[in-house]
């Protein structure tokens, strides 16, 4: 089985989007909705993924492809490598606002033996995304009134499906969503990241087309929501914000189901799922290794109002975001805790009271991490294992070094003495999803954690 490889770096992700666009143009075909991503095994995609890895690591692109790539695709990969690497250097120069270098490289590409579609695609990207430094401002939507973006449509005792980092368009993603559909959720919520850079084409083909087909939403069905992740703003947010009006259109859905912003409150009589936008401030190509994202201050005030008022009315809140509050396996700035989100979290605690906030689900890391109480949060859960593969080496469960304190995973009830971790299949860890079953009368919620290899039997169940 082939696996999509992505890199959490804006320029690398934009380059992978560009390379896939060229591959499709060269092949004169566009993938059909719901099929496996067509370019996973394509030589352009393979070479682009390798080059994107060097970009993400801040390394120079090697002058020739690796022996593995040559063995897989033949000697012709060398000429292709020259064209792809030259295109990558152009995109890096454009993003760095080095116009003189970019122009020189473009001349080299234009008058080389490379397929002219490369220069055509780069021109399209520069024109559309403004990579000279005038990239379009993210069309973030601000509320006008405190009751904006409150969706009071969940039925009593609703069943909610949660998936994170799922929008890849791969067959793995399709298979996982088909497993989710068998649980008959009332609502589907994606915790963010449509790959590679949430371009309009990617948002349509690798998210909406598949959701619509799997849930047969042509005449209604399951309302769907998606949070804003870092990949969703790598192309300026044009694809992500263009997707929102298409998610639950009226008709066939009732107008009240619409997602009008990147943050919202989805409510039943006694439960509130509060979705936050942590992607807005994680889109700069030049601080990817040091950036500590945060909530927009105006949005933070909106969330505080929702938590306080709902708690005062006797309701409970579950927080949702793309980025993590803390991690035992991925440094956030210089530590295990996002100190900026922690400041927001402390305010949320005060607003929600002792039992007003039941838990917090996030993605971003392509892993399942069910944490013991940490940083004042009783139940912090990373569920970013929707469709991006986490390889066994290096293990996503390798704890951070020289950082204390670190959060700990809960014990696996099926294997005493071991921590709860995903199963493995071949060279990668399993994908999975979460089903939340809300109980409005008892004010409890059951969270069941499934992995793709065992879709009918949860690997872990807990009560919030």
């Amino acid at each position: 089985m082939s696996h999509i490889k992505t890199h959490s770096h804006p320029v690398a992700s934009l380059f992978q989007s560009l390379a896939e666009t060229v591959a499709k143009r060269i092949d004169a075909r566009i993938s059909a909705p719901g099929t496996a991503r067509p370019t996973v095994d394509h030589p352009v995609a393979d070479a682009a993924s390798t080059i994107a890895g060097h970009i993400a690591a801040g390394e120079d692109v090697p002058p020739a492809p690796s022996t593995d790539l040559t063995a897989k695709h033949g000697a012709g990969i060398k000429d292709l490598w020259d064209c792809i690497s030259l295109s990558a250097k152009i995109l890096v120069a454009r993003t760095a606002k080095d116009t003189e270098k970019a122009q020189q490289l473009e001349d080299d590409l234009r008058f080389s033996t490379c397929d002219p579609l490369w220069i055509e695609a780069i021109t399209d990207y520069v024109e559309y995304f403004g990579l000279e430094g005038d990239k379009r401002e993210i069309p973030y939507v601000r509320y006008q009134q405190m009751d904006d973006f409150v969706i009071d449509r969940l039925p009593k005792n609703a069943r909610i499906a949660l998936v994170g980092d799922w929008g890849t368009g791969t067959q793995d993603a399709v298979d996982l969503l088909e497993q989710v559909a068998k649980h008959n959720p009332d609502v589907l919520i994606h915790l963010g990241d449509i790959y590679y850079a949430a371009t309009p084409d990617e948002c349509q083909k690798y998210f909406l087309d598949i959701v619509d087909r799997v849930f047969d939403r042509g005449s209604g069905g399951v309302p769907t929501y998606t949070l804003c992740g870092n990949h969703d703003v790598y192309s300026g947010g044009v694809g992500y914000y263009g997707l929102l009006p298409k998610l639950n259109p009226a008709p066939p859905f009732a107008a009240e189901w619409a997602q009008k912003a990147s943050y919202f409150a989805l409510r039943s009589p006694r439960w509130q799922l509060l979705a936050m936008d942590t992607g807005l401030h994680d889109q700069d190509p030049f601080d990817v290794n040091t950036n500590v994202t945060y909530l927009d201050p105006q949005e933070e005030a909106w969330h505080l109002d929702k938590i306080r008022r709902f708690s005062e009315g006797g309701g409970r809140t579950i927080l949702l975001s793309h980025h993590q509050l803390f991690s035992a396996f991925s440094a956030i700035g210089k530590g295990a805790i996002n100190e900026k989100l922690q400041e927001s979290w402390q305010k949320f605690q005060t607003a929600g009271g002792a039992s007003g906030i039941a838990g917090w689900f996030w993605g971003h890391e392509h892993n399942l991490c069910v944490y013991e109480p940490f940083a004042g949060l009783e139940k912090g859960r990373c569920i970013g294992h929707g469709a991006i593969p986490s390889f066994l080496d290096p293990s996503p469960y390798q704890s951070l070094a020289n950082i204390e304190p670190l959060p700990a995973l809960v014990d696996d009830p099926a294997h005493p003495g071991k921590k709860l971790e995903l199963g493995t299949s071949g060279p990668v860890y399993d994908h999975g999803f979460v089903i939340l079953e809300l109980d409005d009368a008892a004010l409890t919620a059951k969270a069941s954690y499934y992995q793709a290899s065992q879709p009918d039997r949860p690997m872990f169940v807990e009560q919030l």
Side-chain angles (χ1 to χ4, degrees):
M1 179 182 293
S2 299
H3 297 285
I4 182 175
K5 294 183 180 180
T6 72
H7 306 279
S8 295
H9 187 285
V11 178
S13 295
L14 278 170
F15 176 65
Q16 287 182 283
S17 292
L18 184 151
E20 183 161 307
T21 299
V22 173
K24 290 175 182 176
R25 292 182 182 181
I26 291 174
D27 289 347
R29 59 182 171 87
I30 297 294
S31 62
T35 62
R37 196 181 192 98
T39 55
V40 170
D41 287 319
H42 197 289
V44 170
D46 272 356
S49 179
T50 302
I51 290 171
H54 291 291
I55 294 173
E59 301 169 349
D60 292 334
V61 177
S66 66
T67 54
D68 288 344
L69 277 176
T70 302
K72 182 177 181 180
H73 296 293
I77 192 70
K78 176 61 173 66
D79 291 337
L80 190 59
W81 181 272
D82 292 339
C83 298
I84 297 175
S85 60
L86 190 55
S87 303
K89 293 173 184 177
I90 292 171
L91 196 66
V92 170
R94 287 289 189 191
T95 309
K97 305 178 187 179
D98 190 340
T99 305
E100 183 177 349
K101 183 176 181 179
Q103 186 60 57
Q104 177 187 346
L105 291 167
E106 283 186 18
D107 289 343
D108 292 341
L109 180 63
R110 192 182 306 275
F111 298 107
S112 71
T113 58
C114 293
D115 193 308
L117 285 175
W118 281 103
I119 193 66
E120 175 187 315
I122 291 173
T123 301
D124 289 348
Y125 259 64
V126 170
E127 180 179 350
Y128 192 76
F129 298 121
L131 297 181
E132 291 279 10
D134 58 345
K135 186 165 74 173
R136 298 178 181 184
E137 182 178 355
I138 294 173
Y140 178 76
V141 181
R142 298 189 179 276
Y143 63 88
Q144 301 301 310
Q145 300 176 3
M146 277 295 179
D147 288 336
D148 289 348
F149 317 139
V150 175
I151 305 166
D152 288 308
R153 295 289 299 184
L154 281 182
K156 290 182 179 179
N157 306 326
R159 182 182 291 115
I160 313 296
L162 301 178
V163 294
D165 295 78
W166 171 84
T168 63
T170 60
Q171 191 60 47
D172 283 352
V174 176
D175 293 344
L176 189 83
L177 199 66
E178 289 176 345
Q179 293 179 356
V180 171
K182 293 178 180 179
H183 290 268
N184 298 312
D186 295 301
V187 168
L188 170 69
I189 302 177
H190 177 236
L191 300 186
D193 269 4
I194 299 172
Y195 296 89
Y196 300 100
T199 63
D201 185 64
E202 289 168 341
C203 288
Q204 182 69 39
K205 291 183 171 58
Y206 304 141
F207 189 89
L208 188 60
D209 284 349
I210 297 174
V211 170
D212 284 350
R213 182 182 67 82
V214 170
F215 284 99
D216 192 20
R217 297 193 334 141
S219 57
V222 179
T224 298
Y225 299 87
T226 185
L227 277 62
C228 183
N230 49 307
H231 282 263
D232 298 315
V233 289
Y234 283 173
S235 61
V238 291
Y240 173 81
Y241 283 94
L243 172 66
L244 298 188
K246 303 176 184 178
L247 288 177
N248 309 308
F253 294 91
E256 293 82 3
W257 281 116
Q259 179 177 344
K260 298 180 180 179
S262 55
Y263 54 98
F264 55 89
L266 185 60
R267 289 176 176 171
S268 71
R270 303 293 299 280
W271 277 99
Q272 170 178 244
L273 283 82
L274 198 60
M276 300 176 282
D277 183 349
T278 58
L280 177 64
H281 295 292
D282 191 15
Q283 52 85 28
D284 191 326
F286 301 104
D287 65 357
V288 67
N289 294 320
T290 59
N291 180 60
V292 178
T293 194
Y294 59 94
L295 289 176
D296 181 88
Q298 185 183 13
E299 182 185 329
E300 180 190 70
W302 184 90
H303 290 297
L304 282 167
D305 177 78
K306 302 295 134 338
I307 294 170
R308 177 184 56 78
R309 290 167 57 187
F310 203 66
S311 297
E312 288 175 351
R316 301 186 72 197
T317 296
I318 295 172
L319 299 176
L320 306 174
S321 67
H322 178 72
H323 290 78
Q324 68 274 57
L325 174 62
F326 53 74
S327 174
F329 311 108
S330 180
I332 308 171
K334 297 181 179 180
I337 303 176
N338 182 324
E339 296 180 351
K340 295 179 181 179
L341 287 181
Q342 186 180 29
E343 292 177 3
S344 296
W345 162 238
Q346 291 169 344
K347 297 175 185 177
F348 294 165
Q349 284 181 290
T350 301
S355 61
I357 299 178
W360 186 342
F361 291 86
W362 58 70
H364 195 52
E365 295 174 78
H366 305 149
N367 201 5
L368 170 67
C369 305
V370 180
Y371 287 109
E372 295 280 5
F374 188 77
L377 179 60
E378 184 70 18
K379 289 179 168 63
R381 310 298 187 236
C382 174
I383 57 169
H385 58 310
I388 295 294
S390 287
F391 291 87
L392 305 187
D393 185 22
S395 170
Y397 290 110
Q398 179 63 48
S399 296
L400 293 169
N402 304 317
I403 294 178
E404 293 290 344
L406 285 178
L409 299 183
V410 302
D411 292 333
D412 186 344
H415 300 90
K418 293 185 64 177
K419 297 299 181 182
L420 184 70
E421 297 183 2
L422 288 166
T424 60
S425 176
V428 298
Y429 284 87
D430 216 343
H431 300 307
F433 56 94
V434 174
I435 299 294
L436 286 177
E437 296 175 87
L438 308 181
D439 188 326
D440 286 271
L443 264 182
T444 60
K446 183 172 78 170
S448 300
Y449 298 77
Y450 294 88
Q451 51 187 353
S453 59
Q454 299 174 332
D456 301 320
R457 185 175 75 251
M459 61 183 293
F460 183 71
V461 178
E462 63 177 342
Q463 181 172 288
L464 305 182

